[in-house]
Amino acid sequence: MEKEDILHAEGRLGELIIGNRIPKDYFITKGTGQSDLTVHAGSYHLALKEAGVEMCNIMTYSSILPAIATEIPRPKQLVHGSVMESIFSVCTVNQGERATAGIIFGWLYHKKTRAKYGGLVCELYGDHSIKQIERRLHDSLDELYTNGYSDDFHLKERRVTTSSFVPKKKYGTALVALCFVNYHYPILRVNLNA
């Protein structure tokens, strides 16, 4: 096929306009790792391995859940080298220090219609006990809710996940992750050319 014929054929196919993709199904995981060698290719990678996502390329989001987001069990198999878009809390420390990572999320429901609007997520990390980080996570979620959502929405169904340990090796990493596995693509417009 000549270049002009390809361009003409493409013109007849039309155009599909899609909106921003919306994360749909997710799973929650956590892990710890320690290494005497390094962090990124050491303790961090080993924490990813314990969490079951070491074969993925990790990309991180900010902290909002769409209303359609649904928790599922972790898939039995993930494609090696695939992109794993996630909300991550990661804490790396030196030997003898406590590494604690935590995530909290809750769902917003409209006060009048009771419809699910979406979710808020907060992630924290540091040299904290689990009790301390849980308290701070609740405080952070309350702050987000109070400063932007409390007039119109109720915040319900809170959930906290934490990971904490003290490494015996030179470097230690604790992580908690909310990992998305698929997306909804809204179609905004379809233009078909004759």
Side-chain angles (χ1 to χ4, degrees):
M1 199 178 244
E2 296 294 323
K3 184 176 179 182
E4 293 78 16
D5 294 330
I6 293 171
L7 291 174
H8 183 66
E10 287 175 356
R12 282 185 291 159
L13 294 176
E15 178 180 61
L16 175 66
I17 308 295
I18 59 172
N20 292 347
R21 62 195 170 109
I22 303 167
K24 188 177 177 313
D25 295 331
Y26 66 89
F27 64 93
I28 297 172
T29 189
K30 64 183 183 175
T32 60
Q34 54 186 320
S35 171
D36 282 325
L37 300 175
T38 187
V39 173
H40 186 74
S43 63
Y44 175 64
H45 180 81
L46 295 171
L48 291 174
K49 181 171 177 47
E50 187 174 285
V53 293
E54 80 285 357
M55 75 297 292
C56 297
N57 288 299
I58 306 298
M59 293 181 65
T60 56
Y61 283 173
S62 57
S63 306
I64 299 296
L65 285 172
I68 65 168
T70 303
E71 186 176 352
I72 63 168
R74 184 191 169 283
K76 288 185 172 143
Q77 188 166 6
L78 297 167
V79 176
H80 185 85
S82 63
V83 174
M84 175 65 64
E85 297 177 347
S86 320
I87 299 173
F88 253 73
S89 176
V90 180
C91 183
T92 296
V93 297
N94 295 318
Q95 181 180 22
E97 299 173 337
R98 176 161 294 279
T100 303
I103 288 179
I104 187 172
F105 65 91
W107 294 101
L108 296 168
Y109 289 87
H110 198 277
K111 287 182 176 178
K112 290 182 182 174
T113 67
R114 296 191 174 117
K116 189 185 227 183
Y117 179 71
L120 300 175
V121 187
C122 294
E123 57 279 352
L124 288 171
Y125 62 91
D127 186 7
H128 308 294
S129 69
I130 290 176
K131 189 172 185 179
Q132 288 172 322
I133 208 154
E134 286 179 346
R135 179 182 47 78
R136 292 186 63 205
L137 284 165
H138 281 286
D139 290 345
S140 293
L141 189 61
D142 287 338
E143 182 175 61
L144 288 184
Y145 172 63
T146 302
N147 291 290
Y149 297 95
S150 60
D151 289 344
D152 298 318
F153 302 97
H154 293 292
L155 180 63
K156 300 180 179 181
E157 302 167 23
R158 292 177 183 224
R159 179 157 170 209
V160 177
T161 305
T162 59
S163 178
S164 183
F165 84 122
V166 177
K168 294 178 179 169
K169 294 186 177 181
K170 190 172 180 181
Y171 305 105
T173 301
L175 63 83
V176 177
L178 191 155
C179 303
F180 297 103
V181 298
N182 55 37
Y183 304 87
H184 171 78
Y185 286 83
I187 298 173
L188 302 181
R189 189 170 66 245
V190 178
N191 295 329
L192 298 176
N193 297 324

